[in-house]
Amino acid sequence: MSNSGRAQGMLPGLAIGVAFLAAGVGGFLVGSLTGSPEPASATEAVPAASASPTASSAPSSSAPLPTPSDDAYVAALDDSLQMGSETLAEGQSGRSDANLADGDVEILNWVETDDPVFFITIDDGLVDSPAVREVIERYQIPVTAFLTEYAVRDKTDYFEAVTAYGGSVQNHTMVHGALNDPATDVEWEICETQDRFEKQFGYRPWMMRPPYGAGPDDPEVLKYAEQCGINRIVLWNVVVTDDNEVEYWEPPIKAGDIVLLHWVDGLDKGLEMLLELGEAQGLTPAPLEDYI
Ligand SMILES: [Zn+2]
């Protein structure tokens, strides 16, 4: 497809993506807090982060927390964060313009390629299921794991194993704070994760996925992403839900699509289904790392 043709075709999707970004300012979390008992108050429930370093640690921390990460901040986010809640719409659905940002940080929700490939990205890291690992190993699936540091502190071996087929561990923040929420400590969420994952996994992430897809082009997000070594902010345009239902902007799955899943029980079945859906279109999963 020509660039001009694609640009015209993208307009509806881009417009909706922008609408969601705009909605995020006023109450983004309302639409994303599936199952939350008090979605409307979620943003207010997060107090301002302390700017002063503290000796306290986050729950179940296996290492001291050196920067603003006092218990109140983490505990408050723990109450409001909803891992596993990203939806299709929040990924700037469809095939939005490939680069919405100025400067060196690119924001994308699909990859322009003629190769018969799609990309598997799996978020958060709450569940480290042996059945999922077995499926990934059996099919040697390239997985880009956008991990929340808070969720994976004791799971280094697991996430090294499941990203061993061309994939990688990438940044999904420290405690899953919405980066467009004024109460969120954006620098800490992005940069502390970079430092921690470099120690934990032996390399520094270069991709970041903002929780809930919130605030990808926020100037503060772009500033700290660039400052701390991120050059790709990766959204998505296909979702496999935690119930293993597929949400497309426009079915079927297509070359270059970025599929979002979460590390949950049942992911093994979701991955097998996804491979079959791809195969039906002549597509195989490829490492996102090789294309962006
Ligand atoms: Zn997430």
Side-chain angles (χ1 to χ4, degrees), residues 70-83:
D70 58 293
D71 287 342
Y73 177 72
V74 174
L77 281 172
D78 203 22
D79 286 342
S80 63
L81 66 83
Q82 296 287 321
M83 292 191 205

PDB file of all heavy atoms in Angstrom, residues 70-83:
ATOM      1  N   ASP A  70       8.624   5.475  48.349  1.00  0.00           N
ATOM      2  CA  ASP A  70       8.197   5.202  49.712  1.00  0.00           C
ATOM      3  C   ASP A  70       6.946   4.343  49.714  1.00  0.00           C
ATOM      4  O   ASP A  70       6.213   4.242  48.738  1.00  0.00           O
ATOM      5  CB  ASP A  70       7.954   6.516  50.457  1.00  0.00           C
ATOM      6  CG  ASP A  70       6.922   7.365  49.772  1.00  0.00           C
ATOM      7  OD1 ASP A  70       7.214   7.841  48.660  1.00  0.00           O
ATOM      8  OD2 ASP A  70       5.839   7.523  50.312  1.00  0.00           O
ATOM      9  N   ASP A  71       6.718   3.725  50.835  1.00  0.00           N
ATOM     10  CA  ASP A  71       5.632   2.758  50.936  1.00  0.00           C
ATOM     11  C   ASP A  71       4.280   3.353  50.574  1.00  0.00           C
ATOM     12  O   ASP A  71       3.437   2.680  49.999  1.00  0.00           O
ATOM     13  CB  ASP A  71       5.571   2.198  52.358  1.00  0.00           C
ATOM     14  CG  ASP A  71       6.723   1.235  52.628  1.00  0.00           C
ATOM     15  OD1 ASP A  71       7.324   0.759  51.650  1.00  0.00           O
ATOM     16  OD2 ASP A  71       7.013   0.987  53.801  1.00  0.00           O
ATOM     17  N   ALA A  72       4.090   4.618  50.900  1.00  0.00           N
ATOM     18  CA  ALA A  72       2.783   5.230  50.628  1.00  0.00           C
ATOM     19  C   ALA A  72       2.516   5.277  49.128  1.00  0.00           C
ATOM     20  O   ALA A  72       1.412   4.987  48.665  1.00  0.00           O
ATOM     21  CB  ALA A  72       2.728   6.631  51.217  1.00  0.00           C
ATOM     22  N   TYR A  73       3.536   5.659  48.389  1.00  0.00           N
ATOM     23  CA  TYR A  73       3.373   5.732  46.934  1.00  0.00           C
ATOM     24  C   TYR A  73       3.071   4.358  46.353  1.00  0.00           C
ATOM     25  O   TYR A  73       2.119   4.174  45.600  1.00  0.00           O
ATOM     26  CB  TYR A  73       4.647   6.304  46.313  1.00  0.00           C
ATOM     27  CG  TYR A  73       4.636   6.367  44.802  1.00  0.00           C
ATOM     28  CD1 TYR A  73       3.848   7.290  44.145  1.00  0.00           C
ATOM     29  CD2 TYR A  73       5.427   5.512  44.049  1.00  0.00           C
ATOM     30  CE1 TYR A  73       3.835   7.354  42.768  1.00  0.00           C
ATOM     31  CE2 TYR A  73       5.424   5.569  42.670  1.00  0.00           C
ATOM     32  CZ  TYR A  73       4.632   6.491  42.030  1.00  0.00           C
ATOM     33  OH  TYR A  73       4.622   6.546  40.666  1.00  0.00           O
ATOM     34  N   VAL A  74       3.885   3.404  46.726  1.00  0.00           N
ATOM     35  CA  VAL A  74       3.698   2.063  46.168  1.00  0.00           C
ATOM     36  C   VAL A  74       2.376   1.470  46.629  1.00  0.00           C
ATOM     37  O   VAL A  74       1.631   0.884  45.837  1.00  0.00           O
ATOM     38  CB  VAL A  74       4.871   1.148  46.573  1.00  0.00           C
ATOM     39  CG1 VAL A  74       4.608  -0.284  46.114  1.00  0.00           C
ATOM     40  CG2 VAL A  74       6.171   1.667  45.963  1.00  0.00           C
ATOM     41  N   ALA A  75       2.061   1.639  47.901  1.00  0.00           N
ATOM     42  CA  ALA A  75       0.821   1.071  48.419  1.00  0.00           C
ATOM     43  C   ALA A  75      -0.403   1.693  47.735  1.00  0.00           C
ATOM     44  O   ALA A  75      -1.368   1.004  47.406  1.00  0.00           O
ATOM     45  CB  ALA A  75       0.738   1.277  49.922  1.00  0.00           C
ATOM     46  N   ALA A  76      -0.336   3.004  47.501  1.00  0.00           N
ATOM     47  CA  ALA A  76      -1.456   3.676  46.854  1.00  0.00           C
ATOM     48  C   ALA A  76      -1.629   3.178  45.428  1.00  0.00           C
ATOM     49  O   ALA A  76      -2.743   2.917  44.967  1.00  0.00           O
ATOM     50  CB  ALA A  76      -1.239   5.187  46.876  1.00  0.00           C
ATOM     51  N   LEU A  77      -0.526   3.038  44.738  1.00  0.00           N
ATOM     52  CA  LEU A  77      -0.629   2.524  43.382  1.00  0.00           C
ATOM     53  C   LEU A  77      -1.101   1.078  43.393  1.00  0.00           C
ATOM     54  O   LEU A  77      -1.835   0.643  42.527  1.00  0.00           O
ATOM     55  CB  LEU A  77       0.735   2.627  42.688  1.00  0.00           C
ATOM     56  CG  LEU A  77       1.082   4.011  42.175  1.00  0.00           C
ATOM     57  CD1 LEU A  77       2.511   4.048  41.691  1.00  0.00           C
ATOM     58  CD2 LEU A  77       0.153   4.410  41.049  1.00  0.00           C
ATOM     59  N   ASP A  78      -0.662   0.348  44.403  1.00  0.00           N
ATOM     60  CA  ASP A  78      -1.059  -1.042  44.496  1.00  0.00           C
ATOM     61  C   ASP A  78      -2.573  -1.157  44.590  1.00  0.00           C
ATOM     62  O   ASP A  78      -3.185  -2.079  44.063  1.00  0.00           O
ATOM     63  CB  ASP A  78      -0.388  -1.667  45.729  1.00  0.00           C
ATOM     64  CG  ASP A  78      -0.285  -3.174  45.589  1.00  0.00           C
ATOM     65  OD1 ASP A  78      -0.333  -3.670  44.461  1.00  0.00           O
ATOM     66  OD2 ASP A  78      -0.172  -3.845  46.625  1.00  0.00           O
ATOM     67  N   ASP A  79      -3.196  -0.192  45.260  1.00  0.00           N
ATOM     68  CA  ASP A  79      -4.647  -0.200  45.367  1.00  0.00           C
ATOM     69  C   ASP A  79      -5.325   0.123  44.041  1.00  0.00           C
ATOM     70  O   ASP A  79      -6.394  -0.379  43.741  1.00  0.00           O
ATOM     71  CB  ASP A  79      -5.108   0.846  46.404  1.00  0.00           C
ATOM     72  CG  ASP A  79      -4.816   0.369  47.815  1.00  0.00           C
ATOM     73  OD1 ASP A  79      -4.597  -0.838  47.988  1.00  0.00           O
ATOM     74  OD2 ASP A  79      -4.789   1.219  48.719  1.00  0.00           O
ATOM     75  N   SER A  80      -4.701   0.974  43.259  1.00  0.00           N
ATOM     76  CA  SER A  80      -5.387   1.466  42.069  1.00  0.00           C
ATOM     77  C   SER A  80      -4.915   0.816  40.781  1.00  0.00           C
ATOM     78  O   SER A  80      -5.636   0.804  39.796  1.00  0.00           O
ATOM     79  CB  SER A  80      -5.205   2.982  41.950  1.00  0.00           C
ATOM     80  OG  SER A  80      -3.851   3.292  41.773  1.00  0.00           O
ATOM     81  N   LEU A  81      -3.697   0.285  40.786  1.00  0.00           N
ATOM     82  CA  LEU A  81      -3.208  -0.256  39.521  1.00  0.00           C
ATOM     83  C   LEU A  81      -3.970  -1.519  39.162  1.00  0.00           C
ATOM     84  O   LEU A  81      -4.423  -2.263  40.014  1.00  0.00           O
ATOM     85  CB  LEU A  81      -1.707  -0.518  39.578  1.00  0.00           C
ATOM     86  CG  LEU A  81      -1.155  -1.594  40.510  1.00  0.00           C
ATOM     87  CD1 LEU A  81      -1.243  -2.967  39.865  1.00  0.00           C
ATOM     88  CD2 LEU A  81       0.303  -1.270  40.821  1.00  0.00           C
ATOM     89  N   GLN A  82      -4.118  -1.702  37.895  1.00  0.00           N
ATOM     90  CA  GLN A  82      -4.868  -2.838  37.379  1.00  0.00           C
ATOM     91  C   GLN A  82      -4.041  -3.518  36.308  1.00  0.00           C
ATOM     92  O   GLN A  82      -4.236  -3.291  35.122  1.00  0.00           O
ATOM     93  CB  GLN A  82      -6.204  -2.376  36.805  1.00  0.00           C
ATOM     94  CG  GLN A  82      -7.136  -1.777  37.835  1.00  0.00           C
ATOM     95  CD  GLN A  82      -7.732  -2.822  38.754  1.00  0.00           C
ATOM     96  OE1 GLN A  82      -8.070  -3.914  38.308  1.00  0.00           O
ATOM     97  NE2 GLN A  82      -7.842  -2.502  40.030  1.00  0.00           N
ATOM     98  N   MET A  83      -3.120  -4.336  36.727  1.00  0.00           N
ATOM     99  CA  MET A  83      -2.353  -5.060  35.725  1.00  0.00           C
ATOM    100  C   MET A  83      -3.293  -5.971  34.946  1.00  0.00           C
ATOM    101  O   MET A  83      -4.272  -6.470  35.479  1.00  0.00           O
ATOM    102  CB  MET A  83      -1.256  -5.889  36.393  1.00  0.00           C
ATOM    103  CG  MET A  83      -0.182  -5.034  37.028  1.00  0.00           C
ATOM    104  SD  MET A  83       1.242  -6.001  37.525  1.00  0.00           S
ATOM    105  CE  MET A  83       1.908  -4.957  38.826  1.00  0.00           C
TER     106      MET A  83
END
